[in-house]
Amino acid sequence: MSFELTRRLVLEEPSRTPDGAGGFTELWSNLGYIWAQIEPIGAGTEGVPEGLGARLRTRITMRAAPVGSSRRPVTGQRLREGARAFEVEVVTEAEHPLYIWVWAREVTLA
C-alpha cells in the first residue's frame, strides 16, 4: 500500500495568553511541516451551531512517528494548509507500519 503525500501541512499547537479583561487570546504556534494525504470521509453537525452547516471529517495520512515525538500530532493540535485547518481528534496506526492516520475535522479559521 502506498500513499501520495503531496500536501504540505503546518502542525500547530495552541497557547492561551490572558487578555487583561478576564479572558484570553488563543494563539497558534508552528511546530513544523508535514507532508500528507487528505481524504474527506464524511460530514457531521456535532458541535456546529445551528444553521452553519456541517463540518467535514477527514482522514489525513502521514509518515509514522513514535508516540511522544514532536512530529506526531496529538488531540488539541491542528494541521493547517493555507486558510484550511483540521482539528486533530484521534491519531491511529495505519494499515502500513510506515504511516499513521490523523482523524480530524475541518474548521473555519476566524
Side-chain angles (χ1 to χ4, degrees):
M1 172 176 287
S2 103
F3 298 99
E4 294 184 29
L5 308 181
T6 59
R7 309 285 284 276
R8 186 174 185 226
L9 306 177
V10 180
L11 177 60
E12 296 181 326
E13 181 173 71
S15 63
R16 292 182 173 182
T17 305
D19 65 5
F24 64 89
T25 300
E26 187 172 71
L27 302 172
W28 290 87
S29 53
N30 180 335
L31 300 177
Y33 296 93
I34 294 171
W35 288 95
Q37 175 179 310
I38 301 173
E39 300 171 78
I41 57 171
T45 57
E46 180 182 330
V48 178
E50 191 171 330
L52 293 183
R55 287 184 169 180
L56 181 63
R57 293 181 181 273
T58 59
R59 182 176 75 182
I60 300 170
T61 304
M62 57 183 280
R63 294 233 180 260
V67 173
S69 167
S70 62
R71 299 206 32 87
R72 185 183 178 106
V74 296
T75 302
Q77 293 178 335
R78 73 181 183 189
L79 294 161
R80 186 176 49 78
E81 180 183 42
R84 298 177 74 188
F86 304 90
E87 291 179 345
V88 175
E89 294 182 320
V90 177
V91 179
T92 63
E93 306 307 316
E95 294 171 354
H96 191 286
L98 293 179
Y99 301 95
I100 57 175
W101 283 326
V102 177
W103 304 90
R105 258 186 228 205
E106 186 167 359
V107 295
T108 303
L109 297 177

